[in-house]
Amino acid sequence: MHENRETSSLTDLQKASPAGKGKSHNPGTHGGEESDGVVVPMNPANKVTEQLAEAAEPGEGRTPTKENIDPPRTPPAQEGPRVSQGLAGVRQRAKENKQDRFTTLLHHLTVDLLRESYESLEKSAAPGVDGVRWAEYGIGLEGRLAGLKDRIHRGAYRAQPSRRIYLAKANGQQRPIGIAALEDKIVQQAVVTILQAIYEVDFQGFSYGFRPKRGPHDALDALSVGIQRKRVNWILDADIRSFFDRMSHEWTVKFVEHRVADTRIVRLIQKWLKAGVSEDGEWSETTVGTPQGAVISP
């Protein structure tokens, strides 16, 4: 394999080139033309117990179906944490050299990127085991982020366990959700932004899962247009049962290492995998799986 020792010193975040996990679900590749509106029922809010009401997801309607099935590849136009000039170089290198392994990535994790990551988080989200909410962390934010960045680069950063709650599913079962501590969310979002610079260039236009500015409704839009406009003989609907609960930590790291050779980034991922979960005040270690709901999980 080729080694890429990308060491760009340009780390200032530029507003003009957004990247990272945004709040919009409308990919930039959608054309301006829209098909006729379709009648689609509103999806119900997740059922949760009264104690966990703050974690419930509100119901969400749908806009008319959009023409989003044709582009073969999606340009990385995203909201949320914005790509630095250095990360733009990483993305270009990843696009041109599919076998390159990136050995120096952590220097892209700056106070600016941490600040952008903090701002992109859901402000009303339930707190993790630390009990810290978004607004509370914002008091003295610059000092907090500077200290956090220093701990990360010194290797002194420690991941906290995720707080486990359960959301009721339509089939009567319960879905385990892991709520990370706020500081862990910030670092995870920053690492996601860095990793997206490498992996986003490999996705095809028909890939919708866990991607910036894309979501289930966009996939349904594409499916609707495909069924109505193209000759379709069959549709396959498949699901991987309990995928996040059964992910192998060892193989997850191996897959990351195909492109990421910066051991500091790999160690951060391993810390989150090994952080475990806290349920009813009791901590338990996780040897497989990753908490659903965590920023870094997808």
Side-chain angles (χ1 to χ4, degrees):
M1 285 194 175
H2 302 289
E3 295 288 335
N4 168 42
R5 299 189 177 275
E6 185 276 318
T7 56
S8 171
S9 60
L10 299 175
T11 58
D12 292 333
L13 301 178
Q14 294 188 342
K15 304 283 186 180
S17 301
K21 183 179 180 181
K23 298 176 182 177
S24 172
H25 294 293
N26 299 319
T29 54
H30 287 171
E33 179 185 1
E34 296 185 357
S35 62
D36 295 335
V38 293
V39 179
V40 180
M42 178 181 295
N43 66 304
N46 287 332
K47 298 178 182 179
V48 293
T49 61
E50 183 177 354
Q51 293 82 359
L52 301 177
E54 60 186 354
E57 298 174 7
E60 186 177 11
R62 289 214 29 226
T63 57
T65 303
K66 297 183 178 181
E67 298 278 4
N68 60 359
I69 63 172
D70 293 331
R73 193 173 295 277
T74 302
Q78 303 146 3
E79 293 180 357
R82 292 172 169 80
V83 66
S84 69
Q85 188 67 25
L87 285 181
V90 171
R91 176 174 288 130
Q92 185 63 31
R93 174 69 63 154
K95 183 177 181 179
E96 295 174 350
N97 302 278
K98 300 294 186 179
Q99 301 301 318
D100 274 8
R101 301 178 70 228
F102 293 82
T103 60
T104 54
L105 291 171
L106 191 67
H107 70 279
H108 293 293
L109 201 156
T110 63
V111 171
D112 288 335
L113 181 56
L114 291 173
R115 186 187 308 109
E116 295 268 358
S117 300
Y118 166 78
E119 293 291 345
S120 74
L121 297 178
E122 178 57 52
K123 298 174 177 56
S124 59
V129 295
D130 58 346
V132 178
R133 295 181 178 271
W134 186 89
E136 181 182 351
Y137 194 87
I139 302 174
L141 178 64
E142 294 305 312
R144 289 178 183 266
L145 295 180
L148 177 58
K149 181 253 184 183
D150 179 66
R151 280 186 281 127
I152 294 169
H153 284 261
R154 288 191 292 107
Y157 162 78
R158 295 291 180 266
Q160 299 186 63
S162 294
R163 181 166 72 92
R164 174 168 287 173
I165 63 173
Y166 294 89
L167 299 183
K169 299 171 64 174
N171 61 5
Q173 297 179 346
Q174 289 189 316
R175 182 190 306 277
I177 299 294
I179 304 177
L182 187 68
E183 206 163 65
D184 291 332
K185 291 181 182 178
I186 297 172
V187 184
Q188 288 180 13
Q189 178 60 73
V191 171
V192 165
T193 302
I194 294 171
L195 295 180
Q196 281 174 345
I198 299 172
Y199 293 111
E200 267 297 300
V201 299
D202 290 333
F203 282 109
Q204 300 295 319
F206 52 74
S207 298
Y208 288 88
F210 303 109
R211 295 184 62 194
K213 296 192 69 176
R214 291 203 165 204
H217 289 170
D218 302 309
L220 289 174
D221 286 341
L223 180 62
S224 176
V225 173
I227 293 173
Q228 296 181 52
R229 303 290 180 84
K230 299 180 180 295
R231 296 183 62 181
V232 177
N233 294 322
W234 52 269
I235 297 174
L236 175 63
D237 180 14
D239 185 25
I240 302 176
R241 182 180 298 144
S242 302
F243 173 74
F244 284 104
D245 298 333
R246 302 177 183 180
M247 283 177 58
S248 165
H249 291 180
E250 179 183 1
W251 280 104
T252 298
V253 172
K254 285 183 178 180
F255 279 123
V256 170
E257 289 176 333
H258 276 294
R259 300 304 303 274
V260 178
D262 189 330
T263 56
R264 298 168 299 175
I265 293 291
V266 174
R267 278 198 296 268
L268 284 175
I269 294 173
Q270 290 173 319
K271 287 180 180 181
W272 294 319
L273 289 173
K274 296 177 180 179
V277 296
S278 177
E279 186 174 355
D280 297 329
E282 296 292 331
W283 177 83
S284 61
E285 183 180 6
T286 52
T287 56
V288 295
T290 179
Q292 295 187 55
V295 178
I296 196 67
S297 292

